[in-house]
Amino acid sequence: MAHFEEYEQYDGLGLAALVRAGELSQGELVEAAIERIKARNPALNAVIVPMFEHARSAAVAPPAGPLCGVPVLLKDLLSTVAGVPTGCGNRLMRRIRWSHDSELVRRLCRAGMLPLGKTNTPEFGLMPYTEPETFGPTRNPWDPSRSPGGSSGGSAAAVAAGMVPIATGGDGGGSIRIPASCCGLFGLKVSRGRTPTGPDFGELWRGFVSEHVLTRSVRDSAAVLDAIAGEDVGAPYASPRPERSFLQEVAEPPGRLRIAFTARPLFGPADAPVHEECREGLMRTVTLLGELGHELVEAAPPLDGDACTMAFIAILAAETRIAIEWAAQLAQRRLSPADFEAATYALGLLGRAMPASSYAHASNLLQLTARGVGTFFEHHDVLLTPTLAQPPIPIGALQPSAVERAVLRVLNRLGAGWLLRRAGMVRLIADRTFSYMPYTALFNVTGQPAMSVPLHWSAAGLPIGMQFVARFGDEATLLRLGGQLERARPWAQRRPPMLSGEGEQPRQALSPQQPRQCEPALRC
């Protein structure tokens, strides 16, 4: 490529260091990113709204901020940009241009980052795969026949493919951690209230949702969190203030931690199978943690996973109905099932048919569950699980079948949300979905920080992430542990075959001649 061939050898902080040193201009970084998006996106469908001229104009300003000149992509859901559509994976929303930037985007730009476009997401971010009817499926750079996960699948695919070092994501049930696992990235879901949701939203999905980023390096995630953390005006709640910067924590040793581990599903069917390679990744991680000096115990929080799953679905159904009505209002359209995917509209009908007492009961059950989980973390510093119960799945594997879609369309036309539960379809779809993702949603309910770390690859060369969870507000412990794991088992130079044509890459990320992880010009 003509512009800065070493672009993807650097993480975001490394690129910013080159700009500050005068070795590269912001404009050169933007052009390097645009070249890669144009070359690689057609095969992946990760970027659905280019903002190239927007980025070129912003790059003319003098460099400023800790991440000056770093190209970033924004998930096309909550990260709104003035004058740019935010489609939310929906056919009504895709043409609605926003009048202002979201607070998170404002903070990213103040840190010096340059937004280059919006990334693909399932309709309203509902699914753990990224296959919206409106924009088409996003494909996994490690194997284009496989899903990159969801709902931040477009962001994850773009970072894994080397288009940008950093992309935003939102996580309401695993939507940062799931695609991080599928695409071999580091993904941190932050504590409830840690990052802003304004000015357009208060709490999202009963407080389950938080926004952050997907990255290749732990330190990039920490540096972005330093830039965006903190409540905004009118926030409904806030996380505890950190003792020092999150970036400083990455280089600090975590000390000897008491780490519980389990492969037992936390949500969904208790007897759902967990793929042998996910179990293998878990046990290899347990061995590694023991070698690093941590105390390991096999244990899991006590909870009724089935009851929690159905309570989670009840809240999600009510929130989906709100999203459907909001989209129709913004588009100035009469509400119609033709404007939404069949599963989305059906879930919204279930939310409409549900009595308010059911919503309150579901909320109370999940809050009491969170109390019990909190007690578990009084005795354990960290919980380790696989991020997912399976390696990356084929595109379409979790979609409703043709028969199921036909039934959903009939029920949608009838407006018969109550029939969904009576027909057993809610249970069927919930069990299928949570059998794939049984570990992540619990920590959206509790509001605890959780990270997916790319520590294992399948025999077929597909990434398999490991999830680590800490106490509420304790991102510091996760970032210290993440930094330790990254130094012990570097992953950044493992790249998808589509980038090199050489298949599996070496596990060593840094040669002895390259800068250390904590230095400002890290090359991955």
Side-chain angles (χ1 to χ4, degrees), residues 196-238:
T197 58
D200 299 298
F201 303 100
E203 66 173 9
L204 292 155
W205 288 10
R206 189 71 178 181
F208 298 166
V209 176
S210 59
E211 281 194 283
H212 190 37
V213 292
L214 294 106
T215 61
R216 284 191 289 124
S217 70
V218 178
R219 70 176 200 160
D220 271 2
S221 184
V224 173
L225 190 53
D226 280 331
I228 66 174
E231 66 273 21
D232 51 342
V233 175
Y237 32 63

Side-chain angles (χ1 to χ4, degrees), residues 46-383:
V47 181
I48 54 171
V49 181
M51 295 167 48
F52 298 158
E53 294 310 314
H54 182 283
R56 284 171 172 144
S57 297
V60 174
L67 291 156
C68 56
V70 177
V72 65
L73 288 166
L74 308 173
K75 182 178 179 180
D76 192 35
L77 188 59
L78 301 174
S79 298
T80 61
V81 177
V84 177
T86 296
C88 306
N90 172 255
R91 58 181 61 97
L92 284 182
M93 297 286 291
R94 66 180 301 179
R95 293 181 178 85
I96 298 175
R97 296 180 181 272
W98 231 247
S99 63
H100 54 270
D101 295 352
S102 67
E103 179 60 25
L104 183 134
V105 170
R106 291 173 192 159
R107 295 184 184 187
L108 291 174
C109 293
R110 281 202 298 267
M113 303 188 78
L114 303 173
L116 279 159
K118 310 295 290 294
T119 60
N120 205 5
T121 182
E123 191 167 54
F124 301 125
L126 292 172
M127 299 300 175
Y129 50 87
T130 303
E131 302 167 26
E133 292 177 4
T134 301
F135 296 104
T138 295
R139 299 185 176 275
N140 193 322
W142 292 89
D143 178 348
S145 72
R146 303 277 172 165
S147 170
S151 62
S152 307
S155 288
V159 174
M163 299 179 198
V164 291
I166 300 169
T168 69
D171 194 316
S175 291
I176 286 175
R177 291 159 288 160
I178 292 168
S181 178
C182 291
C183 294
L185 302 174
F186 180 78
L188 172 66
K189 181 201 82 70
V190 297
S191 298
R192 179 172 298 140
R194 177 68 71 198
T195 56
T197 58
D200 299 298
F201 303 100
E203 66 173 9
L204 292 155
W205 288 10
R206 189 71 178 181
F208 298 166
V209 176
S210 59
E211 281 194 283
H212 190 37
V213 292
L214 294 106
T215 61
R216 284 191 289 124
S217 70
V218 178
R219 70 176 200 160
D220 271 2
S221 184
V224 173
L225 190 53
D226 280 331
I228 66 174
E231 66 273 21
D232 51 342
V233 175
Y237 32 63
S239 288
R241 295 293 175 92
E243 294 183 1
R244 54 184 167 185
S245 86
F246 294 112
L247 183 57
Q248 286 179 297
E249 301 290 2
V250 177
E252 291 294 319
R256 189 171 191 261
L257 301 174
R258 180 175 170 83
I259 301 177
F261 67 93
T262 186
R264 179 175 66 81
L266 303 177
F267 267 33
D271 59 352
V274 178
H275 197 283
E276 186 57 38
E277 288 186 299
C278 296
R279 291 182 179 274
E280 179 186 351
L282 176 68
M283 297 317 299
R284 286 187 176 184
T285 303
V286 168
T287 299
L288 171 61
L289 291 166
E291 292 170 352
L292 293 171
H294 301 294
E295 177 188 359
L296 279 300
V297 292
E298 188 166 5
L303 72 156
D304 184 339
D306 183 68
C308 287
T309 300
M310 298 317 293
F312 188 91
I313 292 292
I315 290 174
L316 192 57
E319 297 288 345
T320 301
R321 182 63 188 187
I322 292 171
I324 287 170
E325 293 179 357
W326 172 68
Q329 180 182 6
L330 286 176
Q332 299 181 331
R333 291 276 293 269
R334 183 178 178 180
L335 200 61
S336 168
D339 290 323
F340 304 90
E341 294 180 23
T344 301
Y345 196 82
L347 187 61
L349 283 179
L350 180 66
R352 189 185 70 172
M354 182 175 60
S357 59
S358 294
Y359 184 90
H361 175 74
S363 297
N364 290 340
L365 186 151
L366 292 176
Q367 287 176 354
L368 288 174
T369 297
R371 296 277 188 185
V373 174
T375 300
F376 177 85
F377 278 87
E378 289 184 337
H379 306 287
H380 305 89
D381 298 308
V382 171
L383 173 66

